[in-house]
Amino acid sequence: MTLENVTLMTSNDARNDSTDISISVNGQGSANNGTVLTTTEVLIAGARLGMLPVSVIGLCCNLLILLLVTLRKEVRKLTVSVYLSALAIADFIFCLDILRWHLEWADMIPMSWGDIYCTITNFLGHFATGLAHWTIFCISLERMTRVVFPFKAKTLLTVKLARIVVVVFVCWSALPNIARFVFDHQIPLDNTTWICWTLQTDTIGPLYQNLVRILIETPPVFLVIVINCITVVKLRAHWSAMKKMGLKERNQRCRSGLHLSQQETALTVTLVVNGTLFVVLETPYLVTEFVMHYLSSEEISALHMVLANAFKLVSGVDHTCNFFVYVIGSGMLRREFGAIFCCSRNAPGEEGKTRQNSPLAGPSSKSTNESQGTSFTLASVTTQPPHCGSSIVDITLPEGNTDK
């Protein structure tokens, strides 16, 4: 598939309805060496080109998240770290999927790889999508449980249970997509252009794919919206209650686990923002892909193809941006990311001392309260009262049983 012959999934009718644009090829602008591309092809080419940097950045960022969860004990002991690692793995696979979209467009994938290549890559892409969606749901539910049911959180939110939940959703995302090895094929569009798609002449294939999309990939979007709304409402009520309490009463309720620490609050706000971005950036591609599987080949227009490629790129941004949300939103995650690249590793039992002397934690002459107060987080831009642990003694909410 060369630039001169790119059709990029557009039918002949869609091509004839598009506006022709003259574009020079290989830097030559003469009439003989120039080629004419349609507006559709230009827009799709722009989306496919954008997939290269997005996928590369996403691969690097998700590797950093996996390093954070693996190497840093303070993060690894958190229940939510199990979900963060599962999400990073799913996002890593998804970034590989959008990278192969670019490589197919750039004619770097041989057509001879055929159906085997298409079925494997489509399976991995949709498996990663389903796993990422349900992991975001688990993260949102974990945060809501910690805010709404602080006493139950001590027994419900354990590392062992989180691992079991991840295994369940891995199976839930993988098993239904095994049918792609039956329904997905390499479909030639001309002598040089092809796509990995479900045969539209097969009634069962598109129907099954949309059924999987409705049951596997779509429900987490709506569930995350509801759960995040509950979390935000309860978190605001938590802040209002804290305003009315004195320092002594706040510390007593902190010791009993009734209020979140500042670190927990910042982490909760960060993950709520992450879930909101997930809903905004994933929904357009889900809707577009559902419509395209519903329509027949003759009904798929150039506009559908442009939107599918553009929203696939937007979905890739969602699977890439988690690292940046974590670093900006949570002072604890930002500090632990920085500690990964420190020259000297912390000795056992000296992690807290090193953190106090670390430039990322502020000058050692300041108290814990002062250091936290100068750390910018997504939670710090919201008006809120002093948190648990804002006195001389830093009291944080227990993370529950972390026994493995």
Side-chain angles (χ1 to χ4, degrees):
M1 180 173 59
T2 61
L3 183 60
E4 293 87 348
N5 295 319
V6 165
T7 58
L8 292 173
M9 304 194 300
T10 56
S11 63
N12 290 330
D13 293 337
R15 184 183 178 90
N16 293 334
D17 292 339
S18 302
T19 302
D20 291 341
I21 298 177
S22 178
I23 298 180
S24 60
V25 180
N26 298 328
Q28 300 176 4
S30 63
N32 293 332
N33 294 327
T35 186
V36 176
L37 296 178
T38 65
T39 304
T40 299
E41 292 169 350
V42 172
L43 293 175
I44 294 177
R48 293 292 180 106
L49 284 171
M51 291 178 185
L52 178 60
V54 169
S55 61
V56 172
I57 294 173
L59 292 173
C60 296
C61 289
N62 285 297
L63 281 177
L64 287 175
I65 295 174
L66 288 174
L67 286 176
L68 171 71
V69 177
T70 303
L71 300 179
R72 302 305 299 168
K73 181 179 179 181
E74 184 172 343
V75 178
R76 193 168 60 248
K77 71 181 181 181
L78 302 176
T79 305
V80 75
S81 66
V82 179
Y83 302 123
L84 294 181
S85 58
L87 179 60
I89 293 173
D91 289 345
F92 186 88
I93 298 174
F94 188 89
C95 289
L96 288 176
D97 186 59
I98 64 172
L99 178 61
R100 65 103 175 179
W101 276 50
H102 171 81
L103 296 178
E104 289 173 6
W105 169 82
D107 197 22
M108 299 179 69
I109 304 295
M111 190 173 183
S112 59
W113 288 5
D115 288 350
I116 296 178
Y117 163 80
C118 285
T119 53
I120 292 176
T121 53
N122 277 6
F123 168 80
L124 290 175
H126 285 274
F127 162 73
T129 300
L131 180 58
H133 288 193
W134 283 106
T135 305
I136 289 286
F137 161 76
C138 291
I139 292 173
S140 300
L141 187 62
E142 193 265 356
R143 289 292 102 186
M144 187 199 74
T145 304
R146 194 166 294 283
V147 172
V148 181
F149 308 106
F151 281 124
K152 293 182 179 180
K154 297 179 180 180
T155 55
L156 290 178
L157 303 181
T158 64
V159 171
K160 182 178 180 179
L161 180 59
R163 289 172 178 169
I164 295 174
V165 171
V166 167
V167 171
V168 169
F169 281 119
V170 166
C171 298
W172 174 251
S173 302
L175 292 179
N177 282 301
I178 292 178
R180 295 190 176 276
F181 289 92
V182 177
F183 295 120
D184 287 3
H185 302 277
Q186 184 188 75
I187 302 177
L189 299 178
D190 54 35
N191 293 332
T192 57
T193 310
W194 51 273
I195 59 172
C196 295
W197 198 248
T198 306
L199 290 175
Q200 299 297 311
T201 55
D202 182 6
T203 305
I204 299 179
L207 180 62
Y208 180 81
Q209 304 299 2
N210 275 339
L211 183 62
V212 170
R213 189 163 291 107
I214 292 173
L215 296 178
I216 304 297
E217 298 178 7
T218 304
V221 176
F222 298 101
L223 292 173
V224 167
I225 294 174
V226 175
I227 292 173
N228 280 353
C229 288
I230 296 175
T231 302
V232 170
V233 170
K234 292 297 183 180
L235 201 57
R236 290 180 65 87
H238 161 75
W239 291 340
S240 299
M242 292 283 282
K243 288 181 180 179
K244 302 175 182 179
M245 297 179 186
L247 180 60
K248 183 177 180 180
E249 184 179 2
R250 281 201 303 270
N251 288 338
Q252 290 176 347
R253 295 178 72 86
C254 287
R255 293 188 183 95
S256 62
L258 289 175
H259 284 304
L260 297 178
S261 65
Q262 183 174 359
Q263 175 176 293
E264 282 289 338
T265 301
L267 183 60
T268 300
V269 173
T270 299
L271 296 178
V272 167
V273 171
N274 195 46
T276 304
L277 288 175
F278 155 74
V279 171
V280 173
L281 298 178
E282 287 291 334
T283 303
Y285 181 67
L286 284 176
V287 174
T288 303
E289 199 173 34
F290 178 86
V291 171
M292 291 184 66
H293 270 99
Y294 176 79
L295 299 175
S296 64
S297 300
E298 294 74 18
E299 294 174 318
I300 297 178
S301 66
L303 177 61
H304 291 126
M305 294 301 177
V306 171
L307 292 178
N309 281 269
F311 290 149
K312 180 74 172 183
L313 176 61
V314 172
S315 179
V317 172
D318 171 57
H319 293 265
T320 300
C321 68
N322 293 340
F323 170 81
F324 302 101
V325 175
Y326 299 159
V327 171
I328 295 174
S330 173
M332 184 268 292
L333 293 179
R334 183 166 62 251
R335 182 181 67 239
E336 295 302 319
F337 269 121
I340 293 177
F341 304 101
C342 288
C343 298
S344 59
R345 303 297 301 272
N346 293 334
E350 296 183 0
E351 187 169 342
K353 183 185 299 184
T354 305
R355 189 183 308 120
Q356 290 180 354
N357 296 329
S358 171
L360 293 173
S364 57
S365 59
K366 293 186 178 182
S367 66
T368 304
N369 179 36
E370 291 172 324
S371 299
Q372 291 175 341
T374 57
S375 177
F376 172 78
T377 64
L378 291 174
S380 67
V381 299
T382 308
T383 303
Q384 50 187 289
H387 291 269
C388 299
S390 60
S391 60
I392 296 177
V393 180
D394 188 12
I395 305 169
T396 58
L397 180 68
E399 270 291 333
N401 181 18
T402 58
D403 292 341
K404 302 179 182 179

